[in-house]
Amino acid sequence: MLLRLSFLLFLVLLITNRLTVVAFLGCFQKPNTFHPGHRGGTLSNVNHHSFHQRLLRQKHDCDSHLSKLGITSLSMAMKVNIRIVGRKSSEPWLEGGVEMYETRLKPSNLQVETTWHKDNSALIKGVDMDRSKNHCVVCLDPNGLQTTSEVFCDKLYEWLEDGGSRLSFIIGGAEGLPNELKYTSYSSSGKQSQPPPMISLSTLTFTHQFARLLLIEQIYRATEIRKGSGYHK
């Protein structure tokens, strides 16, 4: 038993050190490569992006091997909280879809949970609590920024980094977000605050319950884009 534990510890150190060396060497790679054949002599970050994807795939492979050996990942778990006005859907297909993506996200070291609020006042208090903990907060609104899945992937990890691996997405009720979250206003604590960034999943109209399912699918898609898997085509 002692011999097996020693071997597992040696394997962990070997893998983590390998990743450290790879990441260290990557710091010396030029992020942009000049392509004189392009019109105007533009710069391209193809090589840097390719290296970054290889590094992420190596980390994912190492985490998978460690998981098979019963060893959890050494990196800090990322958590996304979806705050939404209303109550849990009674439609099995909606909840089943959300639960499926929650399960699929676990190997990516990203935990997604949903917090239900009975009204806008409770929602605003929840947002104020997240802000007090320096968590990143992002609202969903039809008038928000529309992005591609690739851009959303980059923004997702930026938001997680800004919030210390903690991120909250805010979904309003049937009437949308309260004005207190859409404009510069006073929070429930009485202090003036800036509105969180807003994104739009589509110009089409969805129920807030269905918007939650769309959001978690895009979160899962972002993790697969990050890994370089074949899920996103």
Side-chain angles (χ1 to χ4, degrees), residues 13-25 55 58-60 62-63:
L13 292 174
L14 179 64
I15 293 174
T16 54
N17 285 336
R18 180 189 174 195
L19 286 174
T20 302
V21 170
V22 172
F24 177 75
L25 292 176
L55 178 59
Q58 284 186 345
K59 181 184 184 303
H60 175 65
C62 289
D63 287 344

mmCIF file of all heavy atoms in Angstrom, residues 13-25 55 58-60 62-63:
data_model
loop_
_atom_site.group_PDB
_atom_site.id
_atom_site.type_symbol
_atom_site.label_atom_id
_atom_site.label_comp_id
_atom_site.label_asym_id
_atom_site.label_seq_id
_atom_site.Cartn_x
_atom_site.Cartn_y
_atom_site.Cartn_z
ATOM 1 N N LEU A 13 3.600 14.565 -9.067
ATOM 2 C CA LEU A 13 4.684 15.537 -9.167
ATOM 3 C C LEU A 13 5.240 15.595 -10.579
ATOM 4 O O LEU A 13 5.559 16.669 -11.105
ATOM 5 C CB LEU A 13 5.801 15.183 -8.183
ATOM 6 C CG LEU A 13 5.447 15.339 -6.697
ATOM 7 C CD1 LEU A 13 6.582 14.823 -5.823
ATOM 8 C CD2 LEU A 13 5.150 16.802 -6.375
ATOM 9 N N LEU A 14 5.347 14.429 -11.226
ATOM 10 C CA LEU A 14 5.873 14.381 -12.585
ATOM 11 C C LEU A 14 4.960 15.128 -13.544
ATOM 12 O O LEU A 14 5.423 15.929 -14.361
ATOM 13 C CB LEU A 14 6.020 12.919 -13.029
ATOM 14 C CG LEU A 14 6.542 12.685 -14.462
ATOM 15 C CD1 LEU A 14 7.966 13.214 -14.576
ATOM 16 C CD2 LEU A 14 6.495 11.202 -14.809
ATOM 17 N N ILE A 15 3.666 14.890 -13.431
ATOM 18 C CA ILE A 15 2.710 15.523 -14.340
ATOM 19 C C ILE A 15 2.647 17.013 -14.110
ATOM 20 O O ILE A 15 2.682 17.808 -15.044
ATOM 21 C CB ILE A 15 1.311 14.890 -14.179
ATOM 22 C CG1 ILE A 15 1.331 13.439 -14.674
ATOM 23 C CG2 ILE A 15 0.253 15.689 -14.946
ATOM 24 C CD1 ILE A 15 0.041 12.693 -14.435
ATOM 25 N N THR A 16 2.544 17.437 -12.850
ATOM 26 C CA THR A 16 2.438 18.875 -12.565
ATOM 27 C C THR A 16 3.704 19.608 -12.966
ATOM 28 O O THR A 16 3.644 20.726 -13.477
ATOM 29 C CB THR A 16 2.142 19.109 -11.075
ATOM 30 O OG1 THR A 16 3.122 18.424 -10.284
ATOM 31 C CG2 THR A 16 0.754 18.613 -10.708
ATOM 32 N N ASN A 17 4.850 19.003 -12.754
ATOM 33 C CA ASN A 17 6.100 19.635 -13.158
ATOM 34 C C ASN A 17 6.195 19.742 -14.665
ATOM 35 O O ASN A 17 6.708 20.718 -15.215
ATOM 36 C CB ASN A 17 7.303 18.858 -12.614
ATOM 37 C CG ASN A 17 7.500 19.097 -11.124
ATOM 38 O OD1 ASN A 17 7.060 20.120 -10.605
ATOM 39 N ND2 ASN A 17 8.127 18.154 -10.451
ATOM 40 N N ARG A 18 5.681 18.739 -15.368
ATOM 41 C CA ARG A 18 5.709 18.773 -16.839
ATOM 42 C C ARG A 18 4.873 19.940 -17.349
ATOM 43 O O ARG A 18 5.271 20.674 -18.241
ATOM 44 C CB ARG A 18 5.157 17.462 -17.387
ATOM 45 C CG ARG A 18 5.155 17.425 -18.912
ATOM 46 C CD ARG A 18 4.410 16.215 -19.401
ATOM 47 N NE ARG A 18 4.281 16.241 -20.850
ATOM 48 C CZ ARG A 18 3.440 15.475 -21.518
ATOM 49 N NH1 ARG A 18 2.653 14.652 -20.871
ATOM 50 N NH2 ARG A 18 3.363 15.545 -22.828
ATOM 51 N N LEU A 19 3.685 20.121 -16.741
ATOM 52 C CA LEU A 19 2.830 21.228 -17.150
ATOM 53 C C LEU A 19 3.482 22.564 -16.854
ATOM 54 O O LEU A 19 3.365 23.508 -17.621
ATOM 55 C CB LEU A 19 1.484 21.138 -16.428
ATOM 56 C CG LEU A 19 0.527 20.041 -16.917
ATOM 57 C CD1 LEU A 19 -0.694 19.986 -16.019
ATOM 58 C CD2 LEU A 19 0.119 20.291 -18.354
ATOM 59 N N THR A 20 4.171 22.656 -15.716
ATOM 60 C CA THR A 20 4.836 23.903 -15.348
ATOM 61 C C THR A 20 5.911 24.261 -16.348
ATOM 62 O O THR A 20 6.053 25.405 -16.771
ATOM 63 C CB THR A 20 5.448 23.787 -13.940
ATOM 64 O OG1 THR A 20 4.400 23.464 -13.012
ATOM 65 C CG2 THR A 20 6.112 25.091 -13.526
ATOM 66 N N VAL A 21 6.691 23.249 -16.756
ATOM 67 C CA VAL A 21 7.759 23.491 -17.728
ATOM 68 C C VAL A 21 7.177 23.927 -19.063
ATOM 69 O O VAL A 21 7.649 24.871 -19.699
ATOM 70 C CB VAL A 21 8.627 22.216 -17.903
ATOM 71 C CG1 VAL A 21 9.575 22.378 -19.075
ATOM 72 C CG2 VAL A 21 9.392 21.936 -16.632
ATOM 73 N N VAL A 22 6.087 23.249 -19.489
ATOM 74 C CA VAL A 22 5.474 23.602 -20.769
ATOM 75 C C VAL A 22 4.948 25.023 -20.733
ATOM 76 O O VAL A 22 5.128 25.802 -21.668
ATOM 77 C CB VAL A 22 4.335 22.608 -21.099
ATOM 78 C CG1 VAL A 22 3.558 23.080 -22.320
ATOM 79 C CG2 VAL A 22 4.897 21.213 -21.355
ATOM 80 N N ALA A 23 4.263 25.383 -19.638
ATOM 81 C CA ALA A 23 3.727 26.734 -19.519
ATOM 82 C C ALA A 23 4.845 27.768 -19.479
ATOM 83 O O ALA A 23 4.745 28.851 -20.041
ATOM 84 C CB ALA A 23 2.862 26.842 -18.262
ATOM 85 N N PHE A 24 5.971 27.420 -18.788
ATOM 86 C CA PHE A 24 7.094 28.339 -18.690
ATOM 87 C C PHE A 24 7.707 28.596 -20.065
ATOM 88 O O PHE A 24 7.981 29.724 -20.444
ATOM 89 C CB PHE A 24 8.137 27.753 -17.739
ATOM 90 C CG PHE A 24 9.387 28.587 -17.626
ATOM 91 C CD1 PHE A 24 9.379 29.762 -16.897
ATOM 92 C CD2 PHE A 24 10.551 28.204 -18.273
ATOM 93 C CE1 PHE A 24 10.522 30.535 -16.793
ATOM 94 C CE2 PHE A 24 11.697 28.973 -18.179
ATOM 95 C CZ PHE A 24 11.686 30.134 -17.437
ATOM 96 N N LEU A 25 7.874 27.523 -20.829
ATOM 97 C CA LEU A 25 8.433 27.689 -22.159
ATOM 98 C C LEU A 25 7.506 28.494 -23.046
ATOM 99 O O LEU A 25 7.958 29.251 -23.906
ATOM 100 C CB LEU A 25 8.703 26.304 -22.790
ATOM 101 C CG LEU A 25 9.831 25.481 -22.136
ATOM 102 C CD1 LEU A 25 9.902 24.112 -22.793
ATOM 103 C CD2 LEU A 25 11.171 26.203 -22.247
ATOM 104 N N LEU A 55 -1.583 23.122 -24.976
ATOM 105 C CA LEU A 55 -1.342 23.121 -23.532
ATOM 106 C C LEU A 55 -2.610 22.746 -22.774
ATOM 107 O O LEU A 55 -2.573 21.960 -21.824
ATOM 108 C CB LEU A 55 -0.849 24.506 -23.089
ATOM 109 C CG LEU A 55 -0.592 24.699 -21.576
ATOM 110 C CD1 LEU A 55 0.448 23.696 -21.105
ATOM 111 C CD2 LEU A 55 -0.150 26.110 -21.280
ATOM 112 N N GLN A 58 -3.238 19.060 -23.083
ATOM 113 C CA GLN A 58 -2.344 18.294 -22.223
ATOM 114 C C GLN A 58 -2.827 18.312 -20.780
ATOM 115 O O GLN A 58 -2.809 17.283 -20.092
ATOM 116 C CB GLN A 58 -0.921 18.857 -22.303
ATOM 117 C CG GLN A 58 -0.188 18.486 -23.581
ATOM 118 C CD GLN A 58 1.256 18.946 -23.550
ATOM 119 O OE1 GLN A 58 1.632 19.771 -22.722
ATOM 120 N NE2 GLN A 58 2.058 18.411 -24.432
ATOM 121 N N LYS A 59 -3.258 19.482 -20.324
ATOM 122 C CA LYS A 59 -3.776 19.569 -18.953
ATOM 123 C C LYS A 59 -5.017 18.707 -18.794
ATOM 124 O O LYS A 59 -5.191 18.008 -17.785
ATOM 125 C CB LYS A 59 -4.099 21.013 -18.587
ATOM 126 C CG LYS A 59 -4.626 21.172 -17.158
ATOM 127 C CD LYS A 59 -5.028 22.590 -16.870
ATOM 128 C CE LYS A 59 -5.460 22.720 -15.414
ATOM 129 N NZ LYS A 59 -6.564 21.802 -15.063
ATOM 130 N N HIS A 60 -5.911 18.744 -19.801
ATOM 131 C CA HIS A 60 -7.128 17.936 -19.737
ATOM 132 C C HIS A 60 -6.792 16.453 -19.704
ATOM 133 O O HIS A 60 -7.381 15.686 -18.927
ATOM 134 C CB HIS A 60 -8.003 18.255 -20.949
ATOM 135 C CG HIS A 60 -9.232 17.394 -21.032
ATOM 136 N ND1 HIS A 60 -10.235 17.434 -20.105
ATOM 137 C CD2 HIS A 60 -9.593 16.448 -21.943
ATOM 138 C CE1 HIS A 60 -11.173 16.565 -20.426
ATOM 139 N NE2 HIS A 60 -10.807 15.958 -21.539
ATOM 140 N N CYS A 62 -4.005 15.088 -18.596
ATOM 141 C CA CYS A 62 -3.410 14.784 -17.293
ATOM 142 C C CYS A 62 -4.477 14.690 -16.217
ATOM 143 O O CYS A 62 -4.448 13.795 -15.366
ATOM 144 C CB CYS A 62 -2.390 15.863 -16.914
ATOM 145 S SG CYS A 62 -0.879 15.826 -17.908
ATOM 146 N N ASP A 63 -5.441 15.614 -16.232
ATOM 147 C CA ASP A 63 -6.527 15.572 -15.260
ATOM 148 C C ASP A 63 -7.335 14.293 -15.404
ATOM 149 O O ASP A 63 -7.781 13.708 -14.410
ATOM 150 C CB ASP A 63 -7.449 16.783 -15.423
ATOM 151 C CG ASP A 63 -6.820 18.069 -14.918
ATOM 152 O OD1 ASP A 63 -5.814 17.969 -14.179
ATOM 153 O OD2 ASP A 63 -7.310 19.155 -15.270
#
